[in-house]
């Protein structure tokens, strides 16, 4: 009887040890799996940040560069850069243009896939149009230019950052006259107008919807620039910034 009991105890002990070993193996496997996921995730984030840093880099104009846009296209090895936009030290970026408004939502200037995309001009625009419409993502995770446009929801920031520098073959300055948000309302994106009266009506729509009132004069000869980004809030709210060319 004692021998039988001992054997039973031994079997129980062996089974217990096996269970412990299996649990230990499972825990170790889970640990290394989580470690692998963490390393891959971190590596992916670092690669994305590297792409972003290059994509939105401030590229100073060199003394021997007379055509800045050609210089930028050579630098990025592309033909899609049409301008360069700068508001302050945070919002500086080349502006590209494709044959549609979807490609640069998730591609870099050098045509690599990137979740934050690039800053791009509406495909319907000619660079000399009276109204230019420019899109760009906002993102709380990554440091990208249009992320800082939400600062315009603060009145003091608006007062201290009222001018947009826009470089094509020349340097143009736009004074911001309107800041507002929309949801399921895309009137701001209109680019084609049948008459000056229709255009002026559109300008008044942009001005009158602004959260800040100002005395900027608008007429049928006014050239404007509209910047659109998302607010990263519940719903699908968009932030719209509008400026009038002053030079």
């Amino acid at each position: 009887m004692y021998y039988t009991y001992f054997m039973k105890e031994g079997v129980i002990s062996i089974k217990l040890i096996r269970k412990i070993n299996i649990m230990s193996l499972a825990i170790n496997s889970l640990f290394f799996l989580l470690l692998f996921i963490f390393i891959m995730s971190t590596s992916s984030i670092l690669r994305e940040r590297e792409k972003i840093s290059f994509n939105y880099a401030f590229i100073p104009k060199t003394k021997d560069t007379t055509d800045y846009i050609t210089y930028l296209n050579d630098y990025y090895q592309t033909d899609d850069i049409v301008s360069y936009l700068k508001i302050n030290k945070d919002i500086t970026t080349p502006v590209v243009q494709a044959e549609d408004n979807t490609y640069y939502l998730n591609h870099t200037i050098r045509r690599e896939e990137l979740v934050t995309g690039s800053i791009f001009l509406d495909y319907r625009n000619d660079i000399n149009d009276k109204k230019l419409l420019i899109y760009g993502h906002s993102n709380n995770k990554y440091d990208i230019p249009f992320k800082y446009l939400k600062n315009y929801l603060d009145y003091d920031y608006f007062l201290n950052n009222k001018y947009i520098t826009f470089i094509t073959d020349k340097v143009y300055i736009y004074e911001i006259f309107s800041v507002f948000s929309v949801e399921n309302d895309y009137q701001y994106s209109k680019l084609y107008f049948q008459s000056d009266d229709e255009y002026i009506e559109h300008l008044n729509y942009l001005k009158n919807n602004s959260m800040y009132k100002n005395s900027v004069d608008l007429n049928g000869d006014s050239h404007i620039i509209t910047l659109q980004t998302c607010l990263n809030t519940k719903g699908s709210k968009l932030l719209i910034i509008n400026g009038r060319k002053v030079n």
Side-chain angles (χ1 to χ4, degrees), residues 26-87:
I27 291 171
N28 287 336
S29 298
L30 179 60
F31 170 78
F32 285 110
L33 176 61
L34 292 174
L35 180 62
F36 175 77
I37 292 173
F38 173 77
I39 291 173
M40 293 301 294
S41 176
T42 302
S43 177
S44 176
I45 291 172
L46 289 176
R47 286 196 300 270
E48 291 292 291
R49 286 179 175 170
E50 184 178 350
K51 288 182 186 178
I52 288 168
S53 178
F54 183 77
N55 204 50
Y56 302 115
F58 172 64
I59 312 300
K61 184 174 180 177
T62 59
K63 291 182 180 179
D64 58 348
T65 302
T66 54
D67 188 338
Y68 187 46
I69 304 306
T70 298
Y71 172 67
L72 289 177
N73 277 304
D74 289 342
Y75 181 86
Y76 282 101
Q77 300 176 4
T78 184
D79 294 319
D80 287 351
I81 298 175
V82 293
S83 61
Y84 192 87
L85 184 146
K86 185 178 188 299
I87 298 180

Side-chain angles (χ1 to χ4, degrees), residues 43 61 70 81 91 107 111 155 196 202 209 220 228 234:
S43 177
K61 184 174 180 177
T70 298
I81 298 175
I91 306 173
H107 284 83
R111 300 179 181 274
Y155 184 59
D196 280 351
H202 180 71
N209 277 277
Q228 176 213 294
K234 290 183 179 179

Side-chain angles (χ1 to χ4, degrees), residues 149-154 176-189 205-213 226-242:
L149 288 180
K150 65 184 178 183
N151 290 334
Y152 279 100
L153 298 175
D154 178 82
I176 296 174
F177 67 88
S178 171
V179 177
F180 61 90
S181 63
V182 295
E183 187 172 9
N184 302 319
D185 178 6
Y186 302 100
Q187 293 183 63
Y188 71 89
S189 64
Y205 156 78
L206 297 177
K207 182 176 180 179
N208 294 336
N209 277 277
S210 176
M211 58 192 298
Y212 310 125
K213 302 306 177 184
T226 296
L227 312 180
Q228 176 213 294
T229 192
C230 49
L231 277 174
N232 294 324
T233 56
K234 290 183 179 179
S236 55
K237 278 193 174 183
L238 300 171
L239 178 64
I240 311 301
I241 312 289
N242 303 279

Side-chain angles (χ1 to χ4, degrees), residues 87-88 152 154-163:
I87 298 180
N88 50 36
Y152 279 100
D154 178 82
Y155 184 59
D156 288 335
Y157 187 89
F158 166 73
L159 291 178
N160 293 315
N161 297 273
K162 293 186 71 172
Y163 295 97

